[in-house]
């Protein structure tokens, strides 16, 4: 994709922005023009390593940094045209990534390049996705913003003249129209940077004297750009146009979405605007449509937890409840389940707020409380549509809870989420929502809780040489409580008793790939309670939470913390992450504070 292109041809507002014009249940956010997901590879994973068959040397495209000595050799524009990118100089050899080494154009251009640079080209094949990323890296993004900014300022000067002219003629054309090109370019660069950097959110925030652009990566907000204050309204307008929001409505919060095709991959953006005292703030959440295609394994659902979940979703009816605070990855787990269930001949309907990922073959619908299309009213209409499987984004009121139970009892599989801290807490929460224990007992099939932890960067992982006494004691204590079955998940451990487990933990040293943080990506920790006939009877008779949990432990249940400890011993995360996330259980305040 060419970044020189400042028009918006790849950017399509998603169809669901036209609120209320179609019957909500029939509504799907699928945009037929942009469904190309099949052709995509796992470019998002990024760091494919290519081994050159001739030289035998390896290039990790994700890690390649292109220095000035290389960028000064050739202009970025011709690279895209000829399908190659020089990325490293070693003596009189220049290493070049090529899309197709047999292409005549590429060969001619390379010959010319060798002559002008006085260097011999060493060729490395590269896939199109990595190629585009490399091209972008070749063009320094801050430079691109700079270019767009100066052209914005230029057009602004011209505009002032025009504005005077216009005032004289008293015609009322909009300012934004003229500024459009450089501003579009800036928004495009901001969005691309976020995708390249693996961000989950982009914040465009008006401050007292400037506009700040920040990215959230792996749960942490990073300051990225500071732009002139006067640019704010134009940027905000541009994003609002993309996402079909009302430009002139500046006093009320608005929500919308749009979709772009980036490197042949669809990326959806959920946009919200919020009036603040310095102007409108925009948050764009990046919903990588590929993320909806994830698997239990990739999410870190392992061992017994995975087996139970796989078994339970095969049942024709029952309720599966996933719990956790906002941002703990609950809906990703539900999407992974739907993906397993999504087969021809099965009617799956979802009711979501919002639709986070578009799944082909599934009828997804978005609740719209403003037109009285809520979880409860939506669920009632869905039940009339004869679905087999229903996913309800969240159960948050008595009516929805009751309808979910009813759906399960009438032969549907229901997947939903609840806002509680633990798996066992879901029972109490449902009873608080006036559900009769005996109905709960006969409809619940699985309770699950989860959190997301930051993952240790696999490229700079090292063993921690000294583990604090406190951490060691905590690990040993939890290991001793785990069922022997769980210990088998510890890599390289073949013993049977907890005392024999070698206590080794890991951390990330920090490298270029993880921006020196030592952490990259995230992994979930889980606890899964299967509602067996025995546990069902306990729920029905109003047993205490701790007694039900005791029974679950007898059945082989492990807590999120224990799951986290196994993952720490396996080098997936740090023991500090496990403690940070699992020992911070002060109740609802934690849940509220973690929301975005
Ligand atoms: Zn690293």
């Amino acid at each position: 994709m060419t970044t020189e292109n400042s028009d918006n041809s790849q950017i399509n507002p998603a169809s669901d922005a036209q609120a209320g014009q179609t019957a909500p249940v029939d509504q799907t956010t699928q945009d037929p023009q942009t469904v190309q997901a099949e052709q995509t590879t796992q470019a998002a994973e990024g760091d494919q390593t290519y081994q050159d068959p001739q030289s035998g040397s390896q290039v990790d495209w994700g890690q390649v940094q292109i220095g000035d000595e290389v960028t000064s050799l050739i202009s970025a524009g011709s690279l895209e045209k000829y399908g190659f990118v020089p990325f490293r100089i070693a003596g009189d050899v220049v290493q070049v990534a090529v899309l197709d080494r047999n292409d005549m154009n590429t060969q001619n251009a390379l010959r010319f390049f060798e002559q002008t640079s006085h260097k011999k080209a060493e060729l490395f094949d590269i896939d199109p996705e990595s190629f585009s990323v490399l091209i972008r890296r070749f063009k320094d993004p801050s430079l691109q913003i700079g270019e767009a900014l100066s052209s914005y300022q230029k057009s602004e000067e011209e505009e002032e003249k025009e504005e005077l002219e216009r005032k004289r003629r008293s015609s009322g054309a909009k300012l934004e129209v003229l500024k459009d090109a450089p501003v579009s370019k800036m928004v495009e660069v901001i969005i691309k940077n976020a995708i390249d950097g693996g961000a989950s959110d982009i914040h465009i925030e008006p401050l007292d004297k400037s506009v700040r652009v920040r990215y959230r990566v792996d749960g942490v907000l990073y300051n990225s750009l500071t732009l002139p204050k006067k640019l704010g309204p134009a940027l905000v307008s541009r994003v609002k146009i993309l996402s079909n929001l009302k430009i002139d409505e500046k006093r009320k919060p608005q929500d919308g979405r749009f979709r772009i095709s980036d490197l042949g991959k669809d990326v959806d953006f959920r946009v919200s605007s919020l009036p603040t005292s310095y102007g409108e703030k925009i948050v764009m959440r990046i919903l990588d449509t590929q993320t909806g295609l994830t698997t239990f394994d990739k999410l870190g659902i392992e061992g017994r937890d995975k087996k139970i979940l796989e078994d339970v979703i095969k049942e024709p009816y029952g309720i599966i409840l996933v719990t956790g605070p906002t941002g703990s990855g609950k809906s990703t787990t539900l999407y992974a389940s739907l993906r397993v269930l999504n087969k021809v001949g099965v009617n799956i309907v979802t009711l979501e707020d919002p639709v986070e990922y578009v799944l082909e073959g599934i009828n997804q619908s978005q609740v719209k409380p403003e037109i009285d299309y809520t979880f409860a009213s939506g669920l009632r209409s869905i039940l009339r549509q004869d679905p087999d499987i229903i996913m309800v984004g969240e159960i948050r009121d008595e009516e929805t809870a009751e309808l979910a139970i009813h759906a399960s009892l009438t032969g549907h599989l229901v997947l939903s989420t609840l806002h509680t801290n633990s798996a066992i807490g879901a029972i109490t929460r449902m009873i608080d929502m006036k559900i009769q224990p005996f109905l709960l007992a006969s409809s619940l099939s699985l309770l699950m809780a989860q959190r997301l932890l930051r993952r240790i960067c696999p490229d700079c992982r090292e063993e921690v040489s000294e583990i604090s006494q406190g951490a060691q004691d905590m690990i040993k204590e939890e290991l001793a409580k785990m069922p022997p079955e769980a210990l088998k998940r510890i890599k390289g451990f073949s013993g049977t008793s907890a005392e024999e487990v070698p206590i080794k933990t890991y951390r990330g040293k920090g490298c270029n790939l993880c921006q020196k943080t030592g952490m990259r990506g995230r992994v979930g920790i889980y606890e899964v309670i299967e509602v067996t006939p025995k546990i069902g009877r306990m729920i029905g008779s109003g047993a205490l939470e701790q007694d039900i949990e005791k029974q679950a432990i007898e059945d082989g249940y492990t807590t999120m913390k224990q799951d986290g400890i196994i993952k720490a011993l396996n080098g997936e995360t740090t023991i500090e992450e496990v403690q940070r996330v699992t020992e911070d259980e002060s109740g609802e305040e934690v849940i509220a504070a973690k929301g975005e």
Side-chain angles (χ1 to χ4, degrees):
M1 170 192 292
T2 146
T3 36
E4 239 103 56
N5 187 2
S6 63
D7 74 24
N8 60 340
S9 54
Q10 304 98 346
I11 298 176
N12 310 308
S15 58
D16 99 296
Q18 289 94 21
Q21 290 176 0
T22 45
V25 175
D26 300 325
Q27 200 170 317
T28 152
T29 51
Q30 199 117 334
D31 186 335
Q33 290 169 340
T34 50
V35 179
Q36 320 160 331
E38 289 89 341
Q39 310 152 357
T40 61
T41 55
Q42 284 174 332
E45 309 280 318
D47 318 303
Q48 290 131 321
T49 304
Y50 172 73
Q51 183 160 14
D52 189 72
Q54 273 128 40
S55 65
S57 53
Q58 296 218 335
V59 182
D60 180 348
W61 298 121
Q63 195 159 24
V64 168
Q65 301 288 339
I66 302 179
D68 296 343
E69 73 283 1
V70 180
T71 51
S72 59
L73 290 178
I74 189 166
S75 85
S78 41
L79 298 178
E80 277 164 294
K81 197 164 159 199
Y82 296 113
F84 71 87
V85 185
F87 59 92
R88 197 184 291 140
I89 292 175
D92 54 1
V93 170
V94 56
Q95 296 183 322
V96 179
V98 284
L99 269 177
D100 179 4
R101 57 172 80 209
N102 299 318
D103 184 282
M104 285 294 287
N105 263 334
T106 306
Q107 287 175 356
N108 289 335
L110 273 171
R111 224 166 288 138
F112 184 71
F113 173 63
E114 283 184 322
Q115 282 167 13
T116 52
S117 65
H118 305 291
K119 295 200 185 302
K120 170 108 189 55
E122 184 188 357
L123 304 189
F124 292 79
D125 294 313
I126 189 170
D127 59 288
E129 288 79 15
S130 306
F131 181 77
S132 303
V133 172
L134 214 54
I135 288 259
R136 277 187 216 160
R137 216 162 284 168
F138 197 96
K139 313 171 178 176
D140 181 7
S142 53
L143 229 124
Q144 291 177 55
I145 289 273
E147 278 168 24
L149 192 60
S150 67
S151 102
Y152 167 82
Q153 276 154 346
K154 239 180 270 160
S155 81
E156 200 182 40
E157 282 166 25
E158 284 163 26
E159 194 174 277
E160 272 164 23
K161 280 183 222 146
E162 297 233 359
E163 180 69 8
L164 285 172
E165 191 70 13
R166 220 177 299 146
K167 269 183 188 149
R168 234 180 290 148
R169 283 185 265 135
S170 74
S171 96
K174 275 263 157 64
L175 282 182
E176 277 98 9
V177 179
L178 280 161
K179 282 190 242 171
D180 209 33
V183 169
S184 301
K185 172 77 185 170
M186 247 177 274
V187 170
E188 194 184 317
V189 173
I190 288 170
I191 288 174
K192 294 223 169 97
N193 279 349
I195 298 174
D196 285 352
S200 60
D201 302 84
I202 308 170
H203 294 236
I204 301 178
E205 303 162 303
L207 304 176
D208 187 12
K209 293 189 173 69
S210 60
V211 178
R212 180 170 64 178
V213 178
R214 294 197 289 173
Y215 297 125
R216 184 180 296 281
V217 182
D218 296 337
V220 182
L221 262 181
Y222 293 98
N223 212 346
S224 158
L225 282 171
T226 304
L227 297 167
K229 172 87 182 165
K230 59 185 176 184
L231 209 54
L235 286 177
V236 169
S237 295
R238 176 66 192 148
V239 175
K240 285 169 107 178
I241 290 170
L242 287 177
S243 36
N244 268 3
L245 300 184
K246 293 186 191 120
I247 297 180
D248 47 353
E249 176 57 86
K250 297 186 162 97
R251 292 159 308 153
K252 283 187 196 154
Q254 296 184 69
D255 292 299
R257 55 199 296 152
F258 65 93
R259 168 178 289 189
I260 63 165
S261 281
D262 179 63
L263 312 179
K265 190 174 78 144
D266 291 344
V267 185
D268 282 351
F269 290 80
R270 193 169 93 222
V271 179
S272 60
S273 73
L274 184 77
T276 72
S277 47
Y278 295 123
E280 278 180 290
K281 172 179 171 160
I282 294 275
V283 177
M284 292 187 256
R285 168 146 292 186
I286 303 172
L287 310 166
D288 184 338
T289 50
Q290 296 292 295
T291 312
L293 301 180
T294 194
T295 60
F296 294 149
D297 289 322
K298 278 193 200 154
L299 295 177
I301 304 176
E302 300 167 353
R304 182 179 177 272
D305 291 350
K306 180 179 153 195
K307 191 177 176 314
I308 295 176
L309 186 57
E310 281 175 342
D311 286 348
V312 162
I313 60 175
K314 279 184 204 136
E315 297 293 322
Y317 53 87
I319 300 183
I320 294 168
L321 290 176
V322 184
T323 72
T326 305
S328 57
K330 297 179 296 248
S331 32
T332 311
T333 301
L334 292 188
Y335 281 116
S337 311
L338 288 184
R339 207 183 149 226
V340 176
L341 295 166
N342 189 10
K343 299 199 176 78
V344 178
V346 180
N347 183 12
I348 304 177
V349 184
T350 76
L351 197 54
E352 304 171 61
D353 182 22
V355 172
E356 290 192 36
Y357 307 108
V358 177
L359 297 173
E360 231 173 312
I362 292 181
N363 308 292
Q364 292 174 277
S365 103
Q366 161 116 31
V367 301
K368 291 213 162 62
E370 64 274 20
I371 56 163
D372 202 31
Y373 186 63
T374 60
F375 282 122
S377 68
L379 195 46
R380 215 175 290 114
S381 353
I382 282 174
L383 283 169
R384 287 193 289 264
Q385 297 245 323
D386 187 33
D388 302 303
I389 297 161
I390 306 165
M391 173 177 130
V392 184
E394 192 188 337
I395 296 178
R396 51 187 166 208
D397 56 82
E398 292 171 16
E399 201 184 355
T400 312
E402 196 183 302
L403 285 161
I405 298 279
H406 172 75
S408 160
L409 294 174
T410 51
H412 302 90
L413 183 65
V414 181
L415 296 94
S416 192
T417 72
L418 270 184
H419 226 51
T420 65
N421 280 322
S422 62
I424 196 83
I427 299 170
T428 316
R429 181 89 185 89
M430 290 295 274
I431 288 171
D432 286 346
M433 285 192 279
K434 308 259 167 53
I435 299 300
Q436 296 290 332
F438 74 96
L439 289 178
L440 201 56
S442 43
S443 53
L444 278 185
S445 48
L446 181 143
L447 307 168
M448 179 168 174
Q450 67 174 89
R451 298 288 186 280
L452 289 178
L453 307 189
R454 293 191 300 153
R455 206 187 265 277
I456 297 176
C457 170
D459 291 275
C460 60
R461 174 170 44 218
E462 60 175 18
E463 200 183 315
V464 173
S465 50
E466 254 173 72
I467 310 168
S468 76
Q469 195 57 46
Q472 284 199 42
D473 292 347
M474 186 275 283
I475 295 171
K476 284 183 182 150
E477 190 191 325
E478 292 294 335
L479 283 172
K481 285 192 275 184
M482 285 185 211
E485 195 62 25
L487 300 177
K488 289 188 189 155
R489 285 176 48 208
I490 300 168
K491 281 185 193 143
F493 176 67
S494 54
T496 45
S497 91
E499 291 100 83
E500 298 167 55
V501 176
I503 311 291
K504 277 190 202 166
T505 64
Y506 301 82
R507 64 181 190 123
K509 220 172 3 183
C511 68
N512 286 338
L513 282 177
C514 57
Q515 267 91 44
K516 313 268 185 251
T517 59
M519 307 300 270
R520 193 149 59 99
R522 291 199 277 184
V523 62
I525 53 171
Y526 306 86
E527 59 189 33
V528 170
I529 297 177
E530 184 182 10
V531 183
T532 58
K534 199 166 186 182
I535 287 184
R537 280 195 297 276
M538 293 179 83
I539 296 173
S541 64
L544 293 171
E545 270 190 10
Q546 55 262 44
D547 292 334
I548 299 174
E549 194 165 15
K550 213 179 279 168
Q551 181 58 48
I553 291 168
E554 261 174 53
D555 296 344
Y557 153 88
T558 48
T559 61
M560 280 186 282
K561 187 172 187 177
Q562 292 166 347
D563 187 33
I565 286 168
I566 293 172
K567 281 167 178 152
L569 294 174
N570 284 341
E572 289 182 68
T573 188
T574 65
I575 206 73
E576 289 77 20
E577 272 292 287
V578 176
Q579 288 179 301
R580 176 178 72 85
V581 172
T582 59
E583 291 176 3
D584 189 18
E585 298 290 359
S586 45
E588 287 294 318
E589 308 90 280
V590 179
I591 281 181
K594 281 183 184 158
E596 175 45 60

